[in-house]
């Protein structure tokens, strides 16, 4: 006789269980847009991988990649969430590292 499982091991994106199993990246602000028309809510959703992933402008993609890199997200995950190729993520992270080294 087949055994029926009372719950599934698959977590639904956006559910409480899903968010507990992965680190969340928070974009803390009182406004939903920045001065250069960056939608910070869309950036936060993309950085956290909340489905459906919103379409992002280039400035929003860069900001999302910066937030994910600082949170330790892998390049492949950053690329999928931001909607860019992994080599573009690698270039953006390299530029970010140069800026940080130059500031020291």
């Amino acid at each position: 006789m087949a055994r029926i499982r009372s719950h599934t091991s698959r977590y639904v994106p956006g559910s409480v269980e899903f968010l507990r199993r992965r680190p969340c990246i928070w974009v803390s602000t009182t406004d939903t847009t920045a001065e250069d028309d960056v939608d910070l809510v869309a950036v936060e959703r993309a950085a956290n991988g909340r489905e459906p992933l919103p379409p992002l402008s280039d400035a929003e993609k860069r900001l999302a990649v910066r937030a994910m890199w600082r949170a330790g997200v892998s390049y492949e995950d950053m690329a999928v969430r931001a909607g860019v190729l992994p080599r573009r993520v690698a270039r953006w992270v390299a530029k970010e590292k140069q800026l940080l080294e130059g500031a020291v």
Side-chain angles (χ1 to χ4, degrees):
M1 181 173 225
R3 185 173 173 188
I4 299 174
R5 295 178 66 176
S6 61
H7 61 83
T8 178
S9 61
R10 182 175 168 202
Y11 293 97
V12 178
S15 69
V16 174
E17 293 84 11
F18 179 79
L19 294 174
R20 284 185 187 150
R21 294 183 54 87
R22 61 191 296 171
C24 284
I25 301 165
W26 301 105
V27 179
S28 178
T29 182
T30 57
D31 297 324
T32 58
T33 57
E35 293 174 3
D36 51 353
D37 291 331
V38 172
D39 184 355
L40 299 175
V41 174
V43 169
E44 185 175 324
R45 285 181 56 107
N48 285 314
R50 305 261 325 258
E51 299 284 341
L53 294 174
L56 301 174
S57 68
D58 286 341
E60 292 166 344
K61 290 175 185 178
R62 282 182 170 271
L63 183 58
V65 167
R66 182 182 303 145
M68 289 185 280
W69 172 64
R70 290 183 178 178
V73 176
S74 72
Y75 284 20
E76 292 80 18
D77 287 343
M78 283 191 266
V80 169
R81 294 178 191 180
V84 297
L85 295 174
R87 67 176 179 246
R88 180 177 283 187
V89 169
R91 284 196 311 262
W92 287 349
V93 169
K95 280 187 178 182
E96 187 72 21
K97 287 180 182 178
Q98 285 178 346
L99 290 174
L100 287 175
E101 289 173 359
V104 175

